[in-house]
Amino acid sequence: MLLTAALDHRVETIWIARDLGYRGGRRTGVPLTDEIHLGHAGTLMGGIAFERATQGPAVAERTAAIVWRVLERIGQPVMLWNVFPFHPHEADDPMSNRCHTRSEREATWPILQALVSMIRPRQIVAIGRDAHLALDGLDIPTTAVRHPSYGGQREFIEGMFSLYGVADDNDEPLELPLGAPHAAARRCALA
C-alpha cells in the first residue's frame, strides 16, 4: 500500500535510516513512524488509512517525533525506508535495539535495490552516518543528514530544511517533547 501510494504520487525522494526501532517501525511497520504519527503517514501519502497493529496506549518514539515534525513543515510526500527493513534486536529481548549485521544487510539489499529501481528517486537522503555508509553501494547520489538522535535534532532539522529550502522561522524550541534517549538505543558503525 505504501509503495503504491509512493508510485501514484510520483515521490521523488527516499529518506533512508539504518533500521527499524522497537518503539517505532517495529510496532507500525512504517519506517521512521511511531504509533502517534501513523495517521500523519497516511495523510502525507495521499490518504492511506493505516491501522495500529498493537493494543494498549499508543507508543511514541523520539526519532519519529522529530522526523514527522520536519515532514509536516516540508509538506511533500517522501518514501521512508531503512537500510535493513526490519527490527534487529538482542536475542530473547524484542524490546531492545541493536545494529543489523553485514550479513543481514546483504540478505535484504535486493529489496532496497528493487525499491530504488521502482521509485526512481531524484534524491536519496541518508539519515545518519550508519545509513550513509551503508548506502555507498547505490548508483544514485545520496545526501547525508545528521540522525536526530543523540543530540542531533537541530542539525537534522537544519539539514533537511536546507535541502528543501524551508525557512526555519518557527520560534518553538527544536528539542523533542520526550525525555532522554532510552537505554536500549545503541550506536554502531556499519562496515
Side-chain angles (χ1 to χ4, degrees):
M1 183 164 44
L2 188 61
L3 178 57
T4 300
L7 292 170
D8 288 348
H9 287 89
R10 294 183 178 89
V11 168
E12 295 182 349
T13 304
I14 304 175
W15 291 8
I16 303 176
R18 188 185 71 210
D19 36 45
L20 297 177
Y22 80 97
R23 294 178 63 94
R26 175 187 181 272
R27 296 178 64 89
T28 65
V30 181
L32 299 164
T33 305
D34 60 10
E35 292 171 324
I36 303 296
H37 296 92
L38 199 55
H40 298 290
T43 300
L44 186 69
M45 293 308 296
I48 295 173
F50 288 118
E51 294 182 26
R52 281 184 56 203
T54 58
Q55 297 178 358
V59 174
E61 181 187 59
R62 293 177 54 84
T63 297
I66 202 70
V67 163
W68 280 98
R69 182 170 169 203
V70 168
L71 279 167
E72 288 170 359
R73 287 285 306 279
I74 290 171
Q76 296 178 24
V78 301
M79 180 71 183
L80 302 174
W81 198 254
N82 294 99
V83 171
F84 181 67
F86 301 105
H87 169 239
H89 57 82
E90 300 297 334
D92 301 320
D93 186 5
M95 299 311 243
S96 65
N97 288 327
R98 70 164 171 81
C99 299
H100 65 270
T101 64
R102 177 186 292 268
S103 64
E104 288 170 330
R105 182 174 68 244
E106 289 172 354
T108 60
W109 189 254
I111 298 169
L112 177 60
Q113 290 175 312
L115 177 74
V116 169
S117 177
M118 284 184 275
I119 300 244
R120 298 178 196 193
R122 292 178 48 194
Q123 180 177 35
I124 292 178
V125 179
I127 299 177
R129 180 177 163 270
D130 291 337
H132 189 242
L133 290 172
L135 294 173
D136 188 44
L138 289 179
D139 293 334
I140 186 168
T142 303
T143 303
V145 296
R146 174 86 154 75
H147 195 284
S149 65
Y150 302 109
Q153 296 94 331
R154 179 169 291 282
E155 292 168 60
F156 172 78
I157 291 168
E158 289 172 353
M160 287 299 197
F161 284 1
S162 177
L163 277 173
Y164 285 87
V166 174
D168 188 11
D169 55 5
N170 191 347
D171 289 335
E172 81 182 68
L174 295 177
E175 295 302 315
L176 289 174
L178 304 174
H182 192 276
R186 302 243 165 101
R187 293 185 194 194
C188 70
L190 300 175

